[in-house]
C-alpha cells in the first residue's frame, strides 16, 4: 500500500477486547515505542488484560492501525498510556481519536482526572485540553529497578 491509499481509508475506533491484535501491539511497542522498548509479550498481555483498550481499525482491511490503553478505576481516575499509531497511518488523527474516545466514555462515569506522560507529543494532547501539571511538586513516583 502506498501513502495515498492510507489517506483514503476510513478507520473505526473500538474498545471491543476481542478485536485487539495483541501480537501487533507487542511488536509496535517493544520495537518502536521509546517507553516500552524490550517489553516482553507476557508483560504486554498482562497490561492489556488489566486495562481498558482502544483500537483504530481500517474499515477496508480490518487491520488494527493504532492502539491506546487506559488504566482506570472507571470512577474517578484514568491514566492514558501506550498510545501508538502504525507509521503507515500517522498524521490521520488516530491517536487523537483514541484519546477522545477514552475521555468520552469515562467522563460520564465520573472520571475527572486524566493523566498521561509524553516526551514528544505535547502539542497533540494540548489540543484535547491536556496541560502540564499545575502542582508538579505535589506528585511523586517510585521506580523500582
Amino acid at each position: 500500500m502506498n501513502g495515498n491509499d492510507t489517506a483514503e481509508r476510513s478507520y473505526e475506533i473500538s474498545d471491543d477486547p476481542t478485536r485487539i491484535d495483541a501480537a501487533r501491539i507487542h511488536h509496535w511497542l517493544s520495537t518502536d515505542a521509546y517507553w516500552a522498548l524490550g517489553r516482553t509479550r507476557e508483560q504486554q498481555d498482562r497490561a492489556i488484560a488489566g486495562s481498558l483498550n482502544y483500537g483504530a481499525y481500517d474499515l477496508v482491511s480490518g487491520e488494527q492501525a493504532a492502539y491506546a490503553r487506559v488504566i482506570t478505576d472507571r470512577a474517578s481516575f484514568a491514566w492514558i498510556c501506550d498510545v501508538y499509531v502504525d507509521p503507515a497511518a500517522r498524521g490521520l488523527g488516530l491517536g487523537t481519536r483514541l484519546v477522545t474516545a477514552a475521555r468520552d466514555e469515562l467522563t460520564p462515569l465520573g472520571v475527572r482526572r486524566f493523566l498521561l506522560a509524553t516526551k514528544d507529543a505535547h502539542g497533540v494532547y494540548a489540543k484535547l485540553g491536556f496541560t502540564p501539571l499545575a502542582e508538579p511538586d505535589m506528585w511523586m513516583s517510585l521506580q523500582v529497578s
Side-chain angles (χ1 to χ4, degrees):
M1 167 187 342
N2 66 44
N4 294 334
D5 292 337
T6 302
E8 296 170 7
R9 296 197 183 229
S10 295
Y11 296 86
E12 175 184 22
I13 304 300
S14 174
D15 67 352
D16 179 351
T18 66
R19 295 182 73 182
I20 293 295
D21 185 340
R24 176 174 276 200
I25 292 165
H26 175 254
H27 175 74
W28 283 338
L29 297 178
S30 68
T31 64
D32 191 41
Y34 66 83
W35 64 90
L37 293 175
R39 185 181 289 171
T40 69
R41 175 65 192 268
E42 190 246 339
Q43 286 174 311
Q44 186 61 49
D45 287 348
R46 281 197 331 259
I48 289 170
S51 303
L52 179 59
N53 301 278
Y54 292 86
Y57 301 91
D58 185 307
L59 288 175
V60 175
S61 70
E63 288 186 350
Q64 188 166 353
Y67 174 71
R69 183 166 70 86
V70 183
I71 303 164
T72 182
D73 60 7
R74 291 180 169 92
S76 63
F77 177 82
W79 175 268
I80 299 170
C81 55
D82 288 347
V83 179
Y84 186 91
V85 179
D86 186 278
R90 290 184 183 161
L92 302 175
L94 296 179
T96 299
R97 288 180 60 194
L98 290 168
V99 174
T100 299
R103 180 199 63 202
D104 291 352
E105 181 174 340
L106 294 169
T107 299
L109 301 178
V111 174
R112 294 293 177 257
R113 183 176 307 254
F114 292 82
L115 292 177
L116 59 80
T118 183
K119 187 177 357 178
D120 56 3
H122 295 80
V124 171
Y125 297 114
K127 289 186 238 175
L128 296 173
F130 284 87
T131 61
L133 291 174
E135 298 179 71
D137 292 342
M138 186 175 90
W139 294 86
M140 298 180 71
S141 70
L142 170 66
Q143 182 157 340
V144 181
S145 310

